[in-house]
Amino acid sequence: MPVLLFLIDTSASMNQRTHLGTTYLDVAKGAVETFMKLRGRDPASRGDRYMLVNYEDVPFGIKAGWKESHATFMTELRNLQATGLTTIGQSLRTAFDLLNLNRLVTGIDNYGQGRNPFFLEPAIIIAITDGNKLTSGGGVQDELHLPLTTPLPGSELTKEPFRWDQRLFALVLRIPGNTSVEPEPLGGVPPDDSPITPMCEVTGGRSYSVFSQRMLNQCLESLVQKIQSGVVINFEKTGPDPPPLEALKSGLQPWHCCHKLIYVRPNPKTGVPIGHWPIPEAFWPDQNSPTLPPRSAHPHVRFSCLDAEPMVIDKVPFDKYELEPSPLTQYILERKSPHTCWQVFVCNSAKYSDLGQPFGYLKASTALNCVNLFVMPYNYPVLLPLLDDLIKVHKFKPTIKWRQSFENYLKTMPPYYIGSLRKALRIMGAPNLLADNMEYGLSYSVVSYLKKLSQQSKIEYDRLIALIGKKPPSEAGIKVRWRGGGISLAQRRDFIQQLQSLTGDVPTLELNPKEFQGFHLALLNKGLKPQSFRNPYDIPRSHLLDQLSRMRRNLLNTSVCTLRGQDSDQFHSVPIAQMGNYQDFLKAAPQPLRDADPEQPKRLHTFGNPFKLDKKGMMIDEADEFVTGPQNKGKRPGDSSSMPGGGPKRRRCMSPLLRLGRAYTPPVSPPNNTLQSLFLVLFGRCFNPPVVLIYGHQKILFPCLKKIEKFILFKKKNK
């Protein structure tokens, strides 16, 4: 179940507009929705979990976390506003802590007992920003720095704030405000030079420099393809280079050090990855050590270029992981040696060796289309021949010499491999080779410390989950800060000279810099309705001229004796987002009186239309045409013998104005007499042309005209 966390830049600079007329924040919201549509095409997207984090402080910056639904995610995404500073370092730390919150509870990191690639929670962080300067309360920063302090328990066990199954990708918006006349560059999207790019590369991701909407869609399609289940590993060469081959091409990229992903495929039957052997730790566990040394987020795996023979025994399980395409995989595939392998090591994993013993090997597939990492038992060149002799020679009845060799191997194996080796021996059919009382290598203090961290993580998880979704407390005002010993604007010489040139007098300003210390500037209360006739500060600057016209009408209105305290238009104006909020309207409404006749059935509410009637009967609206009979020529409307239902039919006729792609041409019909022509003229002046068109059907218009004609003749006779 991959986790897709969107980190949206909500700084004030995201309000800048592109040449399309939309703001950067609108582009970011649209990019998230487009990504979700592209991802939804994959059947594996059913298990996706979406999270949303912005640049606000913790916990208000977490808009959707582990417990929020998809509907909550979409609502919070649409409600994002660009106000604040570019505190991307703090927001990234919040995102990583949110992802790592539950890892100690589940024990997925397996600290001190080897790294299991099949224990993972794949997560992708997609940051959408504008790439501007990093601003904070302390000033402008040139480099990205993540806070070192965090409330997450157990964060000291890993050097970096991220884990090996978490990658960061950044979409840096560079869409210009004016339409560019230069053609867009073809090919791939280049990386950006913003401070977030090094952070993306460290986690195994990358950044995209987006200059147009087309490039944005291209980046989103690329990101959808990168949603893979896997972990990131640092591969580094040790020892001499292999002998060059004649067929090998020149000019390859450096392959000595690669920072790439290995794919951890889930089991097709269970949907969960299954594995047997861990990747060893970079230290030998000491049972007397009270603490664990911190590990790096990505294991450093060294590979030797000396050709070795791949070893596999039928009954001994092994793990196979495919490497992400990289210069290393390209170099191995172009050597075209599918029957040889390169052994892999982890430094300081053995007790008496700096390089350690091999725990697997890199090998090209037989079809030469990919490179696989085979993870075997630790020091497998010694163990596998022993197990092969146990099966084929000794028939699962080991001799004393074999047991001595096996015990010597166990002394060179890290103790945390005992559990995996016991399972493998049980699969082979030799479950009694290992004693049940063998230690796993962790001291009692370390085990107690890990249990304590697990309990603290559970408490912190519950606390943060309860805080997500709560609104930040409203500020009472803006605190006035003293700037220290700096010169005030009123004390600057150029300001005094400018003031003297305007007034003609030498101003005498005696200012105490600490006089306003502790003052608060009041903020506008958005919960109160604006009183534009009573409070001038409630009038927006762009509405000043319109407000003057309203005040003039209010003052010069002779039909009312007293002045009104609020404009009638503003009194009845409601935001579109709140027009259908009927439940809140009912809660705020006063309690209605009880009915005089309780036996009479209660009338349903007619919210929005007090004249609402039952439409089960025959009703005709403006765009309908009532047909009392079949449309066949030669049939009278009253003849219902050919109707299958025996009753009138209703046929819907769309107005020509509602037909897309057709210009409106009013129907030309010769008037029957002068009165009808006069009625059409008057009707057209009183109403809009669409109304004339809708009511201009002959079957509705002519009966109305006849009634008007009879009424006029009746008036003439009475005169």
Side-chain angles (χ1 to χ4, degrees), residues 232-251:
V232 179
I233 295 179
N234 283 323
F235 290 98
E236 187 175 353
K237 183 186 74 69
T238 182
D241 290 349
L245 299 178
E246 296 180 359
L248 193 62
K249 298 180 181 179
S250 60

Side-chain angles (χ1 to χ4, degrees), residues 53-104:
V53 177
N54 68 350
Y55 283 9
E56 296 182 48
D57 295 335
V58 184
F60 309 112
I62 305 175
K63 300 302 181 181
W66 289 101
K67 296 293 185 179
E68 281 66 35
S69 62
H70 180 74
T72 304
F73 173 87
M74 296 303 299
T75 302
E76 295 293 340
L77 176 67
R78 297 189 184 100
N79 293 338
L80 289 180
Q81 296 181 356
T83 56
L85 302 176
T86 314
T87 55
I88 188 172
Q90 177 64 47
S91 302
L92 272 176
R93 186 75 202 208
T94 302
F96 286 130
D97 289 348
L98 178 63
L99 294 175
N100 301 331
L101 196 59
N102 205 30
R103 296 178 75 94
L104 276 174

Side-chain angles (χ1 to χ4, degrees), residues 276-548:
H276 303 87
W277 306 104
I279 296 176
E281 299 279 359
F283 61 91
W284 181 266
D286 186 4
Q287 295 184 0
N288 299 322
S289 177
T291 58
L292 284 175
R295 64 160 59 155
S296 58
H298 301 149
H300 292 269
V301 175
R302 295 180 179 269
F303 59 91
S304 174
C305 298
L306 299 177
D307 290 340
E309 183 181 357
M311 302 177 65
V312 173
I313 297 179
D314 292 339
K315 294 186 178 182
V316 178
F318 62 90
D319 300 330
K320 179 180 176 182
Y321 305 105
E322 180 185 348
L323 269 69
E324 184 183 12
S326 65
L328 174 61
T329 59
Q330 184 179 359
Y331 184 84
I332 294 177
L333 292 176
E334 290 191 357
R335 292 183 61 84
K336 297 181 179 179
S337 300
H339 302 295
T340 59
C341 65
W342 290 352
Q343 293 180 342
V344 290
F345 309 83
V346 171
C347 290
N348 302 319
S349 60
K351 191 173 185 179
Y352 302 109
S353 175
D354 293 337
L355 181 61
Q357 302 298 332
F359 68 93
Y361 51 83
L362 293 174
K363 178 183 173 299
S365 62
T366 307
L368 295 176
N369 54 5
C370 66
V371 177
N372 297 314
L373 170 65
F374 287 80
V375 179
M376 310 291 291
Y378 193 79
N379 199 6
Y380 71 94
V382 176
L383 177 64
L384 293 187
L386 287 175
L387 296 180
D388 193 31
D389 291 344
L390 178 66
I391 297 173
K392 297 180 179 179
V393 178
H394 303 292
K395 306 297 181 181
F396 294 100
K397 296 179 180 180
T399 61
I400 298 177
K401 184 178 180 181
W402 188 93
R403 286 186 177 275
Q404 290 178 351
S405 301
F406 185 68
E407 290 178 357
N408 292 332
Y409 162 77
L410 293 179
K411 294 178 181 179
T412 63
M413 182 191 71
Y416 48 80
Y417 269 86
I418 292 177
S420 302
L421 182 59
R422 181 178 283 112
K423 293 180 182 178
L425 294 176
R426 189 181 301 115
I427 295 174
M428 290 176 52
N432 299 323
L433 289 178
L434 292 176
D436 295 335
N437 58 353
M438 295 190 68
E439 299 291 338
Y440 282 80
L442 295 180
S443 63
Y444 176 77
S445 59
V446 171
V447 174
S448 302
Y449 178 64
L450 292 177
K451 290 182 179 179
K452 181 181 178 181
L453 287 180
S454 177
Q455 297 174 359
Q456 292 177 354
S457 299
K458 179 62 176 176
I459 296 174
E460 179 66 19
Y461 174 81
D462 296 337
R463 185 191 69 85
L464 187 60
I465 291 300
L467 292 176
I468 294 177
K470 294 186 178 180
K471 301 297 181 182
S474 58
E475 298 180 1
I478 303 175
K479 185 178 181 180
V480 179
R481 294 188 303 171
W482 180 46
R483 297 189 300 173
I487 301 176
S488 175
L489 178 64
Q491 296 175 343
R492 292 176 54 177
R493 181 178 301 176
D494 53 353
F495 177 76
I496 296 175
Q497 292 176 356
Q498 182 71 17
L499 192 61
Q500 183 180 359
S501 63
L502 295 176
T503 60
D505 299 332
V506 179
T508 57
L509 299 175
E510 297 180 0
L511 297 178
N512 184 9
K514 296 184 179 180
E515 180 180 359
F516 299 101
Q517 191 173 5
F519 275 42
H520 285 76
L521 300 179
L523 293 176
L524 181 63
N525 189 357
K526 297 181 180 180
L528 299 177
K529 278 193 173 183
Q531 302 289 335
S532 56
F533 281 173
R534 302 177 185 271
N535 188 4
Y537 297 101
D538 286 348
I539 306 172
R541 185 176 181 180
S542 58
H543 298 169
L544 284 175
L545 295 179
D546 295 339
Q547 184 62 25
L548 285 176

Side-chain angles (χ1 to χ4, degrees), residues 590-635:
Q591 186 69 19
L593 299 175
R594 64 178 181 85
D595 295 334
D597 188 3
E599 297 180 357
Q600 186 177 1
K602 295 183 179 180
R603 184 182 181 186
L604 296 177
H605 69 81
T606 56
F607 180 68
N609 183 9
F611 306 103
K612 187 176 181 180
L613 299 175
D614 187 11
K615 290 190 176 182
K616 292 182 179 179
M618 190 61 224
M619 292 296 296
I620 305 174
D621 56 16
E622 292 84 359
D624 288 344
E625 178 175 320
F626 178 63
V627 183
T628 57
Q631 300 299 311
N632 299 333
K633 293 184 179 180
K635 296 284 185 178

Side-chain angles (χ1 to χ4, degrees), residues 235-266:
F235 290 98
E236 187 175 353
K237 183 186 74 69
T238 182
D241 290 349
L245 299 178
E246 296 180 359
L248 193 62
K249 298 180 181 179
S250 60
L252 291 178
Q253 299 181 14
W255 53 271
H256 290 182
C257 184
C258 286
H259 186 73
K260 290 297 180 179
L261 190 77
I262 63 169
Y263 301 125
V264 182
R265 309 292 186 187

